[in-house]
């Protein structure tokens, strides 16, 4: 059986860091409130010349270098983003061009904060079916450009950044001892649209719009949805929380992460957290956290890594893989 193994990883941030203290100067908020409610201390904010494609390109190049391949070896580029630089063409084809790739195909996936999980699952399906050998999967966002910077209930939560992985085809035995992605689970439910959405778009307002959120309602649903798709991953692999070496969740809010880990009986020392440094980078968040954990040497070959996300839509999903 063909398995998709992560053969390279990388991440990129804009240059500018905006601390909670800095936000105190422009909106009625304070460092202590933000830390207590979310765990966030700072976020990166894109400046002039920094775009979703430029961040995605930088993360993508690092992932290709680590995998020891070039864009010539790629079959697809899949970019998860909810902040494309243009409504069209897709950010993925811009990145394809920046990487000098003129063969294969590149396209975007839109599932907001769950985007990377959806993109990874799509890439895994191409690899397992034999249609592709190497796929660059990128989560890239400039969420700062979707913010209403006068709305303190949302603008303190989000940040910009990008993470990327190269998925490569490896022959496995078809058992859970194989390296690579062992199981993926995707869900969505459009009836929750009003709880987290952008109030604009080409066919509604002909504007980009701003992110709007009923934070309490999102919080209320998040833990249940996250733990549901993780239980699905455990059932599909006949594994339990005890088999998880690293839990790398979507970094929306430390309280949601803590509550999910507690409900699943995953101890805090196995949870990768960077939301304090990055804020919620939407589709960028999981690949950034994964790349940072791998770069720091924490992830060891053969370990079980659990990824999950939940976001606007609602969309939610999990990926369980052996490193
Ligand atoms: N600074 C200071 N006060 C703020 C504030 C800010 N940035 N934002 C909101 N407040 C105020 C509210 O106006 C409210 O004041 P009031 O009681 O006078 O009306 C008070 O703080 C409590 O607001 P509430 O929304 O009930 O707070 P909360 O405890 O639910 O925390 C969130 C708010 C957004 C942090 C929390 O609901 C949350 O994390 N939700 C999930 C969001 C998320 O992760 N979304 C992305 C999913 S991908």
């Amino acid at each position: 059986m063909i398995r998709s193994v992560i053969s390279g990883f990388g991440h990129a941030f804009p240059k500018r860091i905006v601390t909670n203290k800095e936000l105190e100067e422009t909106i009625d908020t304070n460092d202590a409130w933000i830390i207590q409610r979310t765990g966030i201390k700072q976020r990166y904010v894109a400046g002039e010349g920094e775009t979703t494609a430029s961040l995605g390109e930088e993360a993508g190049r690092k992932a290709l270098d680590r995998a020891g391949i070039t864009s010539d070896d790629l079959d697809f580029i899949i970019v998860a983003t909810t902040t494309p630089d243009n409504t069209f063409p897709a950010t993925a084809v811009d990145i394809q061009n920046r990487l000098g790739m003129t063969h294969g195909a590149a396209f975007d996936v839109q599932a907001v904060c769950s985007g990377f999980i959806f993109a990874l699952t799509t890439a895994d399906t191409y690899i397992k079916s034999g249609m592709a050998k190497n796929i660059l999967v990128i989560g890239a966002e400039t969420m700062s450009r979707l913010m209403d910077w006068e709305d303190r209930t949302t603008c303190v939560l989000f940040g910009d950044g990008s993470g990327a992985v190269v998925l490569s085809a490896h022959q496995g035995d078809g058992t859970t001892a194989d390296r690579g992605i062992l199981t993926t689970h995707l869900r969505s439910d459009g009836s929750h649209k009003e709880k987290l959405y952008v109030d604009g778009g080409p066919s509604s307002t002909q504007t980009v719009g701003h992110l709007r959120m009923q934070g309490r309602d999102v919080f209320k649903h998040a833990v249940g949805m996250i733990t549901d798709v993780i239980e699905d991953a455990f059932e599909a692999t006949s594994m339990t929380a005890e088999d998880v070496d690293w839990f790398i969740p979507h970094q929306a809010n430390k309280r949601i992460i803590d509550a999910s880990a507690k409900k699943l009986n995953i101890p805090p020392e196995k949870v990768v957290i960077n939301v304090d440094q990055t804020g919620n980078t939407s589709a960028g968040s999981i690949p950034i956290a994964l790349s940072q954990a791998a770069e720091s040497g924490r992830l060891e070959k053969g370990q079980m890594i659990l990824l999950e996300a939940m976001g606007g839509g609602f969309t939610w999903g999990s990926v369980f893989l052996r490193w």
Side-chain angles (χ1 to χ4, degrees), residues 23-295:
L23 291 177
E24 286 180 10
E25 291 163 20
T26 50
I27 49 167
D28 180 16
T29 190
N30 62 81
D31 184 43
W33 190 97
I34 301 172
I35 292 177
Q36 195 249 329
R37 295 298 216 285
T38 71
I40 298 166
K41 295 177 183 157
Q42 62 166 53
R43 73 284 295 141
Y44 293 83
V45 173
E48 214 185 315
E50 292 175 320
T51 62
T52 299
S54 76
L55 294 168
E57 177 194 358
E58 191 181 335
R61 284 188 187 280
K62 290 176 185 167
L64 288 171
D65 283 351
R66 281 217 174 82
I69 63 171
T70 71
S71 60
D72 290 346
D73 304 305
L74 292 174
D75 301 296
F76 290 98
I77 297 175
I78 306 178
V79 175
T81 187
T82 202
T83 47
D85 297 325
N86 297 82
T87 301
F88 78 84
T91 304
V93 291
D94 189 347
I95 294 173
Q96 180 190 23
N97 183 44
R98 286 162 179 260
L99 295 177
M101 177 178 162
T102 50
H103 67 281
F107 60 92
D108 287 0
V109 164
Q110 219 295 40
V112 204
C113 296
S114 311
F116 185 74
I117 295 288
F118 279 61
L120 203 58
T121 298
T122 306
D124 178 46
T125 307
Y126 281 123
I127 286 182
K128 277 196 310 207
S129 73
M131 274 180 73
K133 286 203 161 38
N134 294 300
I135 303 181
L136 179 60
V137 186
I138 301 172
E141 301 279 19
T142 46
M143 293 303 281
S144 63
R145 289 167 180 152
L146 268 190
M147 291 301 123
D148 171 353
W149 285 97
E150 291 178 0
D151 176 8
R152 67 176 183 171
T153 68
T154 52
C155 76
V156 303
L157 304 174
F158 292 86
D160 302 337
S162 175
V165 299
V166 174
L167 270 195
S168 300
H170 277 242
Q171 199 60 45
D173 297 329
T175 70
T176 55
D178 287 346
R179 286 187 69 214
I181 294 178
L182 301 184
T183 190
T184 63
H185 301 268
L186 301 183
R187 296 287 309 278
S188 63
D189 180 351
S191 68
H192 296 287
K193 177 183 172 185
E194 301 304 323
K195 298 186 181 82
L196 180 51
Y197 67 105
V198 169
D199 63 3
S203 101
S204 54
T205 60
Q206 295 79 57
T207 63
V208 171
H210 290 120
L211 184 144
R212 305 293 175 202
M213 181 173 68
Q214 297 164 19
R216 259 190 205 180
D217 280 336
V218 175
F219 201 113
K220 217 167 60 193
H221 286 85
V223 177
M225 290 176 162
I226 289 165
T227 49
D228 268 2
V229 278
I230 290 175
E231 299 292 356
D232 289 347
F234 289 157
E235 200 180 311
T237 52
S238 303
M239 292 198 205
T240 69
E242 283 188 15
D243 297 299
V244 175
D245 293 295
W246 293 106
F247 179 37
I248 309 184
H250 169 49
Q251 309 282 320
N253 179 314
K254 187 161 183 306
R255 285 195 301 157
I256 295 177
I257 296 172
D258 289 347
S260 309
K262 193 169 171 208
K263 194 169 169 201
L264 292 159
N265 284 322
I266 299 174
E269 59 273 16
K270 290 185 173 180
V271 185
V272 173
I273 293 183
N274 68 357
V275 69
D276 54 323
Q277 300 299 307
T278 63
N280 180 349
T281 58
S282 188
S285 105
I286 293 173
I288 292 171
L290 179 88
S291 171
Q292 288 179 329
E295 202 171 73

